[in-house]
Amino acid sequence: MPRFFVDAPLAAPGEIALSAGAARHVQVLRLQPGDALSLFDGSGPEWRAEVTAMGRSEVRVNLVEATQPQRELARAVTLAVVMPANDRMDFLVEKATELGAAALQPLVGERSVLRLAGERADKKRAHWQGVAIAAAEQSGRTVPMRVEPVLPLAAWLAALPEPGGDEWRGLLSPRAAAPITPFAQQRALFLSGPEGGLSDAEEDAARARGFAAVTLGPRVLRADTAPLAVLSWLALS
């Protein structure tokens, strides 16, 4: 059954007009009145719906029934990533959504190749949020991964609350000696570097904010692979 994200609250059974993005998808697939589809608005529920009217400028559907599928990770995981270059960030956003990350924080560090700020950063963030929504539609998630505004690593670290409570913080470092091990906290925050890794000063700053340096094994993983390896481990642990 086709499933689409709707950029408007889905609150109760009844007929509605689809938002522009979802309507375009329905038109491209040439669905007809009576065809079934699944809709979600990012808040958690998934709605079984049926097309009632197709037009050039409007598509109407009848919301039939809402369910609460359980497809999220047991923990709320945020990936803080000093952005990799080229199209690797698109790949990372897509796969992190598929693997269940709750949020992704794009960062700019000392060794960053991809440096974004201002309007260009805002446009990239909007693009990546669209990638996350498309990946949620494909993977069955009803809560797309949230992409945060691009920030400098130093400023982001300085603004973090004091460590502790119900959040575990991990620093993915090829120089670390301790492997990642199970933890009890229900929220997790992982920091990962770009091509070339984080500088010594950046790693020291992360440790000062409560990040435990961990290794993912004897091989050096690419900047877009290491965060996904952690998500895979969490999904299966």
Side-chain angles (χ1 to χ4, degrees):
M1 180 188 302
R3 65 189 307 272
F4 307 112
F5 172 78
V6 176
D7 188 19
L10 302 176
E15 190 176 67
I16 64 166
L18 288 183
S19 58
R24 281 196 299 273
H25 288 307
V26 171
Q27 290 164 335
V28 167
L29 290 178
R30 298 187 179 183
L31 299 183
Q32 298 300 315
D35 287 344
L37 67 162
S38 179
L39 303 173
F40 65 101
D41 63 6
S43 64
E46 182 171 76
W47 284 85
R48 182 167 59 86
E50 182 179 283
V51 178
T52 56
M54 287 286 294
R56 290 186 177 180
S57 60
E58 183 179 71
V59 176
R60 301 191 67 82
V61 301
N62 184 44
L63 300 178
V64 179
E65 180 183 26
T67 59
Q68 289 280 353
Q70 299 301 318
R71 299 176 187 143
E72 298 302 306
L73 291 182
R75 294 181 177 89
V77 181
T78 296
L79 300 178
V81 179
V82 179
M83 299 174 290
N86 302 322
D87 60 352
R88 294 187 181 277
M89 191 65 179
D90 282 24
F91 175 84
L92 178 55
V93 169
E94 179 183 79
K95 300 311 174 187
T97 303
E98 290 179 22
L99 289 168
L104 188 143
Q105 174 63 65
L107 298 167
V108 178
E110 291 180 20
R111 297 173 177 169
S112 291
V113 175
L114 180 60
R115 293 183 174 273
L116 301 173
E119 184 179 354
R120 185 165 172 246
D122 293 339
K123 288 181 177 179
K124 276 292 188 180
R125 180 199 181 192
H127 166 73
W128 290 328
Q129 192 63 67
V131 171
I133 288 171
E137 290 176 335
Q138 178 273 323
S139 63
R141 289 187 67 178
T142 57
V143 183
M145 183 181 71
R146 185 177 68 259
V147 180
E148 303 288 2
V150 177
L151 292 172
L153 173 58
W156 175 77
L157 284 172
L160 285 178
E162 290 299 315
D166 194 33
E167 180 181 75
W168 192 85
R169 294 179 180 178
L171 167 63
L172 306 183
S173 171
R175 298 189 288 274
I180 187 170
T181 57
F183 52 87
Q185 291 89 337
Q186 290 303 300
R187 295 185 299 120
L189 174 58
F190 288 94
L191 172 60
S192 183
E195 300 86 346
L198 299 174
S199 70
D200 290 343
E202 288 173 329
E203 289 207 2
D204 289 344
R207 288 189 182 92
R209 301 303 293 162
F211 285 83
V214 294
T215 178
L216 298 177
R219 294 168 300 281
V220 176
L221 303 182
R222 298 184 72 112
D224 54 328
T225 304
L228 302 180
V230 167
L231 285 173
S232 300
W233 177 80
L234 287 169
L236 297 173
S237 62

